[in-house]
Amino acid sequence: MATVNMFKTLVKGRITNLSLKIDNEVRRRCLDMNKHALFSTKPPSGGREGKRSWRFAMGSLGLGVAAGAGYAYYNTPAPPKAILNDEKSNKRLLLDKLPELSPARKVVSVVDHTGLDLVLYQYPTCPFCCKVRAFLDYYGFSYSVIEVNPVLRQQIKWSEYKKVPILLAKVENVYQQMNDSSVIISALTTYLHDQHQNLSDILNFYPSVSFTEDGGKVKTEVMNRYFLMFQDSMPLGRTNEALGEERKWRKWADEVLVHTLSPNVYRTFDESLQSFKWFSEVGEWERLFPAWECYLIVYLGALAMWAIGKRLKKRHHLKDDVRQSLYDECNHWMRQLNKKGSHFMGGDSPNLADLAVYGVLSSISGCEAFKDLLNHTKIGTWYGRMKSAVESHSGRMMP
């Protein structure tokens, strides 16, 4: 690779010098010629000298174009390279045993017949974690919860993947690590449809691709994250059109709605501090973490997110009044729901799009922004129906 780069550099330098020499000579010759002689396709009149000058100019022009094209070719950066994660990296997602951490609580559902032993690593009010919990509760999964310190994150130091949620599922005698909220939901929905499939095999349908952006930053993207792998056995009552609409709104929840939350929740320092105190209450931080850690999380977290919220407002092109951006997106959701004329986007019962939007919004349900949202939009009726549907399916919570 070093040799190729040196060759490119040498070629670029020589092409540049050649272009400059040709340009200078063409300029000199053009002073002695009529402009028509340079751009005409016919040799000019004026004897042997005029024809010679014309041929030289046309040849120089051709060489200049060729040199410029060559320079552009060698100077164009190579397109980003995409690399599928190798088999070795996938194997690292299997754990022989659980990390030695005591669950903050357990959710036990009498209707859970999956046989999966699930452990969820989360922040209590992370929108993506709330999305996974809404899914698990609605479909009656039993699971344990590990609360992760959002500042120090010691609880996930065993994992190469440093974001939440992380879900561990016992598959035979090992634990399968599942990352990315949308992949977790898609894979488990596929598993519910056909429990004869091995969960690890299902996850092979969701490979990750790493690529380098223009700035040199390596980014990883998960393919198929919104797709349900039903193969040739489409569930009764489902259609490709309905599944496509469901995917569209799940993606909207992740890429549009969620980005209106932080600038609203952390709009002022007072609102940011109030939000973190609610986070502490919901997550039982005072019971789970030392007092100094709680103080650090609440006050340092509130200050940091207040500053970050302003940058996120600009990055996601929200309105000066960020509340209005939140209202606009929720009104957009309600308009589409009203067009369907049903209680839920899934019809008579929630689908994965309903659960995604509900989960995202539930992450701010104890904040001032949520109270304002209910007062300025009509989303409260749908949200109340969703809350009842999720809670009626969820299991009994145990410390």
Side-chain angles (χ1 to χ4, degrees):
M1 181 62 69
T3 304
V4 172
N5 291 334
M6 290 176 62
F7 175 74
K8 286 186 175 182
T9 302
L10 179 61
V11 171
K12 285 162 56 178
R14 293 189 175 180
I15 289 175
T16 301
N17 292 335
L18 178 60
S19 296
L20 291 174
K21 290 180 179 180
I22 291 174
D23 288 344
N24 291 334
E25 184 63 20
V26 169
R27 289 193 190 96
R28 187 183 67 78
R29 295 275 183 160
C30 284
L31 292 175
D32 300 328
M33 297 170 55
N34 186 281
K35 289 184 180 179
H36 176 76
L38 180 61
F39 297 103
S40 174
T41 57
K42 296 181 180 180
S45 59
R48 183 180 302 173
E49 184 63 27
K51 292 181 180 180
R52 185 182 302 160
S53 298
W54 179 83
R55 286 196 297 269
F56 179 81
M58 293 302 291
S60 299
L61 183 61
L63 284 173
V65 170
Y71 179 81
Y73 172 79
Y74 283 104
N75 199 40
T76 301
K81 293 183 178 180
I83 305 173
L84 283 172
N85 284 358
D86 56 22
E87 185 179 356
K88 182 179 179 181
S89 64
N90 290 332
K91 287 182 177 179
R92 285 200 298 266
L93 298 180
L94 294 175
L95 283 71
D96 293 331
K97 61 180 182 178
L98 287 174
E100 295 181 0
L101 294 167
S102 299
R105 56 191 170 278
K106 294 183 178 182
V107 177
V108 180
S109 174
V110 296
V111 300
D112 184 5
H113 302 295
T114 62
L116 296 175
D117 181 8
L118 300 178
V119 182
L120 176 65
Y121 293 75
Q122 65 150 26
Y123 305 146
T125 52
C126 157
F128 303 105
C129 300
C130 291
K131 211 174 62 171
V132 170
R133 284 206 317 273
F135 169 82
L136 295 176
D137 289 342
Y138 180 74
Y139 283 100
F141 285 92
S142 297
Y143 60 97
S144 301
V145 177
I146 302 292
E147 294 292 356
V148 177
N149 183 315
V151 176
L152 303 178
R153 297 187 293 181
Q154 311 101 313
Q155 292 79 12
I156 55 173
K157 65 182 180 180
W158 52 269
S159 173
E160 293 185 13
Y161 182 80
K162 297 302 182 183
K163 298 179 181 179
V164 291
I166 295 173
L167 187 69
L168 296 183
K170 191 172 184 179
V171 179
E172 297 176 347
N173 293 319
V174 295
Y175 283 87
Q176 174 70 60
Q177 182 177 343
M178 304 170 66
N179 307 324
D180 187 283
S181 61
S182 293
V183 171
I184 291 170
I185 291 170
S186 294
L188 288 180
T189 302
T190 302
Y191 181 78
L192 286 176
H193 174 65
D194 181 7
Q195 295 185 30
H196 292 96
Q197 296 185 77
N198 185 286
L199 187 58
S200 296
D201 292 337
I202 292 174
L203 288 173
N204 289 332
F205 290 116
Y206 305 95
S208 58
V209 178
S210 298
F211 57 93
T212 304
E213 296 182 312
D214 291 341
K217 182 179 179 181
V218 177
K219 187 175 181 180
T220 300
E221 188 68 31
V222 181
M223 300 173 64
N224 305 325
R225 58 157 53 98
Y226 299 106
F227 282 80
L228 307 179
M229 302 304 174
F230 293 145
Q231 307 300 334
D232 297 325
S233 56
M234 181 75 74
L236 187 65
R238 303 299 294 269
T239 64
N240 287 325
E241 291 75 14
L243 291 174
E245 183 184 45
E246 183 181 66
R247 287 194 298 270
K248 179 186 75 172
W249 288 108
R250 290 176 66 193
K251 187 175 182 180
W252 174 82
D254 284 355
E255 297 183 357
V256 179
L257 179 62
V258 75
H259 293 311
T260 66
L261 301 189
S262 291
N264 275 282
V265 172
Y266 312 119
R267 185 175 61 166
T268 67
F269 178 72
D270 287 341
E271 287 187 23
S272 183
L273 184 59
Q274 181 270 330
S275 297
F276 267 86
K277 288 181 177 179
W278 176 66
F279 299 163
S280 177
E281 179 183 344
V282 173
E284 300 180 280
W285 289 347
E286 291 185 0
R287 178 176 71 87
L288 299 172
F289 306 139
W292 70 270
E293 283 190 22
C294 294
Y295 185 89
L296 179 68
I297 298 170
V298 170
Y299 287 93
L300 182 60
L303 181 62
M305 292 310 300
W306 173 50
I308 292 173
K310 297 181 184 301
R311 295 206 301 269
L312 294 176
K313 170 188 173 182
K314 183 177 181 181
R315 177 187 301 173
H316 299 295
H317 309 291
L318 304 188
K319 294 181 178 179
D320 289 337
D321 180 1
V322 291
R323 285 285 198 272
Q324 193 59 53
S325 293
L326 176 61
Y327 302 157
D328 288 348
E329 297 304 336
C330 290
N331 285 332
H332 175 55
W333 168 261
M334 291 304 299
R335 282 194 298 271
Q336 300 304 311
L337 187 61
N338 291 335
K339 285 183 180 180
K340 291 181 70 69
S342 56
H343 285 169
F344 305 102
M345 197 64 75
D348 294 332
S349 59
N351 64 7
L352 298 184
D354 290 289
L355 291 170
V357 175
Y358 169 76
V360 166
L361 291 179
S362 69
S363 70
I364 65 168
S365 60
C367 303
E368 289 296 324
F370 187 76
K371 297 176 184 177
D372 290 344
L373 176 64
L374 296 184
N375 290 331
H376 290 82
T377 70
K378 297 181 179 180
I379 202 169
T381 302
W382 168 84
Y383 186 88
R385 286 196 294 261
M386 282 298 306
K387 184 176 174 64
S388 297
V390 170
E391 290 181 350
S392 65
H393 290 73
S394 62
R396 183 165 57 94
M397 194 173 297
M398 301 174 60

